[in-house]
Every structure is written in C-alpha cells, then in structure tokens.
Amino acid sequence: MSTQPRTPAGNPDGGQFAATSRPDADADVTLVAMNSDGSRGSIFFPERLHSADEHLQWWSSVPVPDEILQTAMDDYSNSRAVTINSIMGKYQRMARQPGWSDAEYAARVQEDSQAFDARVEGWKQRIPEKLDRFAVRDAVRMHLAWTYRYTLPTDEQAHLEQTHVTVGGVTGTPAEVSTHYAMPGFAARHPEALTRLPDDNDEVRQQLAQLRSQVDAFGRRSSAHYAGYLAEHGYSAQQIDAEMRGEETGAPVGQKKALKSFKKG
C-alpha cells in the first residue's frame, strides 16, 4: 500500500499522487574531451583544427619522416621541372589573325615565343636548382598546411591564404613557399609519400631472408653432424634418412655395416 500523499485529498482514495522530489542518480557521466590541439595527429592522419593560426602552428612542428625528406632531395630536379611545367603549361603557337602577312605573323609568333621563354626563365630563377637541405622539412610542412586548408572554416581558409611564413629565408604565403621549393611537383610525382605510412616491408623481408639463410645453414651443419653421429652408432643410410624425416628407424644395423652404407649413400 502506498503512503504517498494524494492531491487533492479525498476519501477514501483521494486524487492523483502528489509530486515528490527525487535525488539525482549517483552516476559518473563525465566524457573524455575530444582532442583539439592536434597532438594525436600525424602528417598521414592529421586532425582538424579550428583556426588558421592553430593550423599553421601545428603544421610548422609536426614530425616528418626522414624517408620523405630523402625522397624529396633525391627527386628534386624532376619535381622542379614538373612544378614549372604545371605553372607554365606547354607553349601554344598563337593563331594567325586575318590581315596578317606572313612576315607579320612570323614576327608575332617569335615575339610571343620569346615572352613565353622569358616567363619560364623567371620561374627557373624563382625555384632554385638545388633544394636547401635545411629547409626541406619545413617546405614539406608548409605544402601540407596549404593542401589541407580545406579542413578549416571558409573565413579561416581565406586568412591562411593571406598569412606569410618564412622558410629557409624565403617569405611568402604557404602556397608561395611550397612552390618555391617545388613541393607541388614532388607531391605530383610521389603522392603516396605524403599520404601513406612508410613501407618497411622490403627491409623486413630482407632481414627475414637473412635469418632464414642463417637458420638453413645451421640446420645443414647440424644435420650433417647428427647424421655422422648416427652412422658412428650403427645406423644405416636408410635409417638415417628415416630419422631425418621423423620416422621410426628401428635398431642400429651395426657399426661397420652402417658406416659402409653411410659412405655409399
């Protein structure tokens, strides 16, 4: 029987149960805060940050594996050529306009071609022939900061695009710094280098092959010693072969006969 009061009071049963206060349940519902500073991210699995400043700060210090840097150094000349070609494109001979004489058209084509070559030479001056070993790490970082700008809110993307950074004595936007060090060409030639974890399978396979070779060599030496031991104790060549296969060998046939059989086998 309930002793909870009813409202309004009635006789004998009264109306509805009156409201009562209840203590909160004793339960721990604390949630672990989401990581917001990128400390758990890597260049392969970066975390989304909130502002351009946070984004640039994180990308300016994220570790970059030496394998990536060495690949960038080794392939720089090709990456440089790809970067310049992607900016300039292939020269297109200008179309001839009505009323141009052959001589005028030839002169205009020559002038336009020379202007194109001058622009190419200008980019060759802006993108050095050799990659600065002391700047390559930050060059990779700034290229990735520029690449992943889309993870920021729209207004923060615009802020990042206008922010100037300095890498190896070169100051400019992340896009300009990336271009100066031919990072677009590197990313085009080695896309997996910046998105896939370094593959150490080749090194592991080489180590396993070396271990197997050592084990096999030791096994051959051990087998030869064991076979000699069995022969000295009266086992025939056939019995020794069976023993090596893990089969029953039976009693030794005799020392002299076994040695003779072993030598023939």
Side-chain angles (χ1 to χ4, degrees):
M1 179 178 177
S2 174
T3 60
Q4 182 176 346
R6 297 172 182 267
T7 181
N11 184 19
D13 295 326
Q16 299 176 344
F17 285 115
T20 58
S21 61
R22 301 178 184 274
D24 293 335
D26 292 332
D28 184 4
V29 293
T30 303
L31 299 179
V32 177
M34 293 181 63
N35 183 262
S36 60
D37 61 3
S39 60
R40 300 174 191 167
S42 69
I43 68 167
F44 306 107
F45 299 100
E47 292 190 343
R48 187 185 297 271
L49 297 173
H50 303 93
S51 70
D53 291 340
E54 291 176 350
H55 184 86
L56 285 173
Q57 183 177 4
W58 185 81
W59 279 108
S60 67
S61 59
V62 63
V64 181
D66 286 349
E67 295 89 342
I68 292 177
L69 304 181
Q70 190 61 58
T71 302
M73 295 292 297
D74 293 342
D75 196 51
Y76 178 70
S77 60
N78 293 322
S79 298
R80 178 174 179 262
V82 169
T83 300
I84 294 173
N85 290 338
S86 66
I87 295 171
M88 294 301 304
K90 186 177 181 181
Y91 175 72
Q92 300 289 334
R93 187 185 179 102
M94 65 188 310
R96 183 170 181 170
Q97 299 298 319
W100 288 356
S101 65
D102 291 344
E104 183 180 4
Y105 180 51
R108 288 179 178 271
V109 168
Q110 182 178 13
E111 181 182 0
D112 185 61
S113 176
Q114 290 175 345
F116 179 86
D117 292 341
R119 292 194 297 274
V120 171
E121 186 60 32
W123 278 108
K124 288 182 178 179
Q125 295 297 323
R126 293 174 64 179
I127 302 178
E129 292 186 5
K130 292 185 178 181
L131 181 57
D132 183 353
R133 178 175 293 273
F134 298 98
V136 60
R137 193 180 304 273
D138 287 332
V140 170
R141 288 167 170 163
M142 285 303 101
H143 174 76
L144 291 172
W146 173 254
T147 300
Y148 288 111
R149 68 190 184 281
Y150 69 86
T151 63
L152 295 168
T154 303
D155 57 335
E156 292 297 327
Q157 291 184 41
H159 177 55
L160 182 142
E161 291 169 359
Q162 300 301 319
T163 301
H164 282 67
V165 295
T166 299
V167 174
V170 177
T171 300
T173 65
E176 291 170 341
V177 169
S178 171
T179 301
H180 177 84
Y181 292 106
M183 288 296 111
F186 173 69
R189 286 181 54 79
H190 305 278
E192 290 190 347
L194 301 175
T195 58
R196 182 178 178 181
L197 291 170
D199 185 2
D200 58 359
N201 287 341
D202 288 340
E203 182 179 353
V204 171
R205 281 194 290 267
Q206 291 176 2
Q207 293 175 350
L208 287 176
Q210 183 178 3
L211 288 174
R212 289 193 184 101
S213 176
Q214 293 173 352
V215 170
D216 290 343
F218 177 78
R220 286 192 296 269
R221 291 194 298 270
S222 299
S223 297
H225 293 158
Y226 185 45
Y229 170 84
L230 292 175
E232 291 177 357
H233 287 76
Y235 289 87
S236 67
Q238 291 77 12
Q239 288 177 307
I240 293 172
D241 288 340
E243 173 70 17
M244 294 302 180
R245 294 192 298 269
E247 301 173 358
E248 293 293 334
T249 60
V253 297
Q255 191 173 41
K256 292 183 179 179
K257 184 177 181 180
L259 288 174
K260 183 177 180 181
S261 172
F262 180 72
K263 292 178 180 178
K264 288 182 177 180

